[in-house]
Amino acid sequence: GTGKTLTINNHINTLDPEKYARLNTNFSSRTTSLDLQQTIECNVERWTKGTYGPGGGKQLVVFIDDLNMPTLDKYGTQQPIALLKLLIEKSGLYDRGKELNWKTLRNVQFVGAMGPPGGGRNVVDPRFISLFNVINIPFPSEKTLSHVFRTILDEHLEPFSDTIKEVAVRLIDATLRLYDIIVRTLLPTPSKFHYIFNIRDVSRIIEGLCCTTLDKFDTSASFVRLWRNECIRVFHDRLVNDEDRRFVLEQIYKIVTEFFLED
C-alpha cells in the first residue's frame, strides 16, 4: 500500500530497452523453487556449454514482487528464497535433470519488493536480505494521504455545487478515520487471514465517489449516503462474522454522526 511495485516499475520502464530486458514475476504462498527456476530459464539463452544469459547482449532485470509470500517448509525454509540465495551468491544453479549439471547465469540482476511480515507474509532469511541494497518506503502520513485524495476528489467535483465540495473535504477525513480504526482493530488471524487492509482500500472508496454525476447527486445527503455505501462495500462486505460487521457499522454510524450530523 505504499507504492513499492509502482515505484520499481516506473524506474524499470526508464531503462533503455536496447540494453535491458525485463522479467516481472510474483511470489505467492504456492510458489515453489521449481516454478521460479523454470520462469528464469524460459527467459535466458544458452551462450556456451553450461553458461546461460539473456539474448541480444542485454542485461536481464528480474523484478520479484511479494518476495516473502512463499510458505515455510517443515524445516522453516522458503524454497524459492533458498534458490535465489544460491543463484545470487554463486551466479548459477543446478539443472533439475538426472545429472544435476551446474548452470552459470550471466548478466542477470534481481530486484524485489515485499511488505512487513504478517497476514501470510513471512520473515525472510537475513542472510538473503544481506545480498540486496535495502530501501525502506515508509507509509505516508495522514496529512499526505489527505492532500492526495483531496486533490483527486476536488478535481472530479469541480462542476458540483459548493455544498457538495464542502462535504467532500470532511469525507476524506472521515474515510481516513474509519480506515485507521479498522486497521488497528480488525487484525488478521488464522481464521481471518484476509483481514489485510491497506491504502488501496481507501483509494477504492474515493474511486467510488469519483463515479458520481451531477444529475444523480445534487445534495450533500446523497453524497454522504454514497460514501457510507462505498465503505460498506470495501470494508464491511469482506468480514466473516456478525460481530465484526456490527463493529464496522457502529463505527460508520459514529463517524457520520460526528462529521455529517447537519447534512
Side-chain angles (χ1 to χ4, degrees), residues 118-121 186-188 192-198 201 238:
R121 302 185 185 93
L186 300 179
L187 302 175
K192 306 172 184 177
F193 59 89
H194 64 290
Y195 278 24
I196 304 173
F197 304 98
N198 56 44
D201 298 310
R238 288 166 59 182

Side-chain angles (χ1 to χ4, degrees), residues 100-168:
L100 298 176
N101 294 321
W102 177 256
K103 291 182 175 181
T104 300
L105 264 65
R106 302 296 187 193
N107 294 358
V108 181
Q109 302 178 34
F110 292 91
V111 182
M114 62 183 183
R121 302 185 185 93
N122 299 293
V123 177
V124 177
D125 184 354
R127 293 174 296 177
F128 171 71
I129 298 298
S130 69
L131 302 174
F132 289 82
N133 292 314
V134 179
I135 299 174
N136 179 45
I137 303 180
F139 193 79
S141 66
E142 184 174 335
K143 182 178 179 180
T144 301
L145 292 175
S146 178
H147 175 73
V148 170
F149 290 121
R150 188 170 297 174
T151 301
I152 295 171
L153 198 54
D154 285 349
E155 183 175 350
H156 170 72
L157 296 178
E158 185 63 33
F160 285 72
S161 66
D162 291 339
T163 303
I164 290 183
K165 291 179 183 177
E166 191 276 329
V167 167

Side-chain angles (χ1 to χ4, degrees), residues 44-145:
V44 295
E45 300 176 355
R46 180 177 176 180
W47 288 1
T48 61
K49 183 178 179 181
T51 303
Y52 296 79
K58 297 181 180 181
Q59 290 275 344
L60 176 62
V61 179
V62 182
F63 172 42
I64 303 172
D65 205 0
D66 295 323
L67 194 61
N68 55 349
M69 284 296 290
T71 304
L72 300 175
D73 61 21
K74 64 179 180 179
Y75 304 106
T77 302
Q78 293 171 284
Q79 293 186 11
I81 298 297
L83 179 65
L84 272 177
K85 184 174 182 294
L86 172 69
L87 178 53
I88 296 173
E89 281 185 330
K90 305 299 184 182
S91 298
L93 40 72
Y94 290 98
D95 182 55
R96 295 295 181 112
K98 294 181 178 180
E99 297 182 2
L100 298 176
N101 294 321
W102 177 256
K103 291 182 175 181
T104 300
L105 264 65
R106 302 296 187 193
N107 294 358
V108 181
Q109 302 178 34
F110 292 91
V111 182
M114 62 183 183
R121 302 185 185 93
N122 299 293
V123 177
V124 177
D125 184 354
R127 293 174 296 177
F128 171 71
I129 298 298
S130 69
L131 302 174
F132 289 82
N133 292 314
V134 179
I135 299 174
N136 179 45
I137 303 180
F139 193 79
S141 66
E142 184 174 335
K143 182 178 179 180
T144 301
L145 292 175

